[in-house]
Amino acid sequence: MIFLPSMSIFNFCHRFVPCLADPATRSSLGLKAALVVLHIVYAGILFLFDSDLIEKTKQEPWSYTGLYLLLFVATLIQYFVASYSSPGYVLDAMREVSEKNSLFRKASMLSKQPASSKNGSLVITVEGSQSERNIPESNVTSWTKLVLDMYPPGTSVRTLSCTFCNVEQPPRAKHCHDCDRCVLQFDHHCVWLGACIGWGNHCRFWWYIFEETALCIWTGILYITYLKANISRAWWKDVIMILLLVTLSFAVIFLLLLLIFHRGIPERVYPFSEGVCRNLYKFCCARSSIYSLERLPTAMELEDKSRPYTCLGFLTCRCC
């Protein structure tokens, strides 16, 4: 008697919200809802217990607490932006290369000049190369040739192919077993975001971590300020605030470690590093919707990067 109505409710929900039929999607939505609830609880308890904060916010909307609420909203918005941003899938990049090939063939056919005089090639810029790569016009093998051109000569296609997706992976691409797709510049699969972190959303993920860290530190300061001014007035409020402050401290430590890990200064040579300043600019400011593929550096380039820094190197901004 109880089981059938519950099943009918689930069927009703799945009919109007088809995405809920997928267990992975339900889990992802549940985690997102839990994170939003946690934010509301930590901030809500603070404003519920400290009535002075509400009065200050009403009197001076752009005061200290007003900016705190602005950061609170911005952090949640950044969370959803990072969560629903595509990390940059290899299949999407392959599709874009195929579309460019198709557009080139159409343009060659409509052009007055014969396509043969243009050498039948598609120009694709590969990041890190000194010149542009000419990919022979072939809708089937254009991606394979493009990927092979980013590796040293003699590299076998079999060693680059993903056994799950059956596609050739560019350098730094990896198959995510949670998403079951190959991701460009794969970093990790974030459980809290319910998405992979890669080329397309790494920047947004870092900014979310930065904002979340600032929000947690600011919330901790407000908790400590409240406890200093209202300690021993109501013991049960103090217990709740102290427990929340302790858990918040663990969250701040974790976020700081994650923030440093993603933007730490490397102690050894990384083949794809372009210097501190260029890395920061490309990471935080130069993202676009165009897929950017990186080739493996040559042995001479690696040897140049491994050279120790000298005074002349700092003067010529070699580290940047």
Side-chain angles (χ1 to χ4, degrees):
M1 296 295 294
I2 299 177
F3 179 74
L4 289 177
S6 63
M7 289 298 295
S8 61
I9 293 176
F10 279 112
N11 293 333
F12 178 81
C13 294
H14 293 168
R15 181 180 301 176
F16 287 93
V17 189
C19 63
L20 294 179
D22 183 19
T25 304
R26 289 201 303 268
S27 176
S28 177
L29 291 176
L31 286 172
K32 290 179 175 62
L35 188 133
V36 173
V37 170
L38 281 175
H39 281 73
I40 295 174
V41 167
Y42 274 90
I45 290 293
L46 184 63
F47 281 89
L48 183 64
F49 288 175
D50 193 353
S51 57
D52 294 337
L53 283 176
I54 300 177
E55 294 299 327
K56 290 179 182 178
T57 306
K58 289 181 180 179
Q59 295 174 3
E60 301 177 4
W62 295 107
S63 62
Y64 185 77
T65 52
L67 294 176
Y68 170 79
L69 292 176
L70 185 63
L71 178 61
F72 178 86
V73 175
T75 301
L76 289 179
I77 292 175
Q78 186 65 31
Y79 167 77
F80 284 103
V81 169
S83 176
Y84 288 103
S85 298
S86 172
Y89 296 110
V90 174
L91 287 175
D92 293 337
M94 287 180 59
R95 191 177 299 111
E96 183 172 327
V97 171
S98 299
E99 290 176 356
K100 287 182 178 180
N101 283 338
S102 300
L103 290 174
F104 178 81
R105 285 197 300 270
K106 290 180 181 178
S108 299
M109 293 174 62
L110 296 175
S111 176
K112 296 180 180 179
Q113 185 177 1
S116 58
S117 63
K118 294 186 178 181
N119 197 24
S121 62
L122 170 67
V123 178
I124 299 175
T125 301
V126 179
E127 184 177 336
S129 60
Q130 300 297 326
S131 60
E132 294 180 326
R133 307 298 183 101
N134 292 324
I135 309 302
E137 183 184 5
S138 172
N139 193 34
V140 178
T141 62
S142 58
W143 175 256
T144 303
K145 296 188 182 219
L146 176 63
V147 172
L148 283 175
D149 203 21
M150 289 184 277
Y151 287 93
T155 304
S156 175
V157 179
R158 293 184 179 180
T159 60
L160 309 177
S161 301
C162 175
T163 56
F164 299 95
C165 298
N166 196 26
V167 296
E168 293 77 20
Q169 297 176 334
R172 303 178 70 184
K174 186 179 178 181
H175 183 85
C176 176
H177 294 280
D178 295 283
C179 298
D180 197 25
R181 300 171 84 177
C182 288
V183 180
L184 296 171
Q185 297 183 20
F186 177 83
D187 187 83
H188 71 285
H189 184 88
C190 182
V191 178
W192 280 105
L193 266 68
C196 285
I197 306 301
W199 170 85
N201 60 355
H202 201 172
C203 174
R204 297 183 180 96
F205 172 75
W206 186 87
W207 279 112
Y208 161 67
I209 295 297
F210 177 80
E211 293 175 11
E212 190 71 74
T213 304
L215 180 64
C216 289
I217 293 175
W218 201 339
T219 305
I221 293 173
L222 292 176
Y223 270 57
I224 294 173
T225 304
Y226 169 81
L227 289 172
K228 284 183 177 180
N230 300 279
I231 195 70
S232 72
R233 288 189 179 180
W235 66 270
W236 61 274
K237 289 184 179 181
D238 297 339
V239 171
I240 294 176
M241 295 292 284
I242 291 172
L243 288 176
L244 291 177
L245 183 60
V246 170
T247 56
L248 191 63
S249 301
F250 286 108
V252 169
I253 294 173
F254 173 76
L255 288 169
L256 284 174
L257 292 175
L258 191 61
L259 195 64
I260 295 172
F261 172 77
H262 279 271
R263 286 292 91 192
I265 299 176
E267 298 179 355
R268 56 188 176 90
V269 177
Y270 283 90
F272 297 99
S273 176
E274 298 183 16
V276 178
C277 296
R278 292 191 192 95
N279 288 343
L280 287 175
Y281 172 75
K282 289 177 59 179
F283 186 79
C284 300
C285 306
R287 291 288 175 173
S288 66
S289 59
I290 302 173
Y291 288 100
S292 178
L293 304 179
E294 297 176 304
R295 68 174 179 85
L296 281 177
T298 62
M300 294 182 61
E301 291 172 337
L302 288 176
E303 184 179 355
D304 181 67
K305 290 182 179 181
S306 62
R307 287 189 296 108
Y309 289 104
T310 61
C311 296
L312 181 61
F314 282 103
L315 291 175
T316 57
C317 297
R318 177 181 162 230
C319 60
C320 298

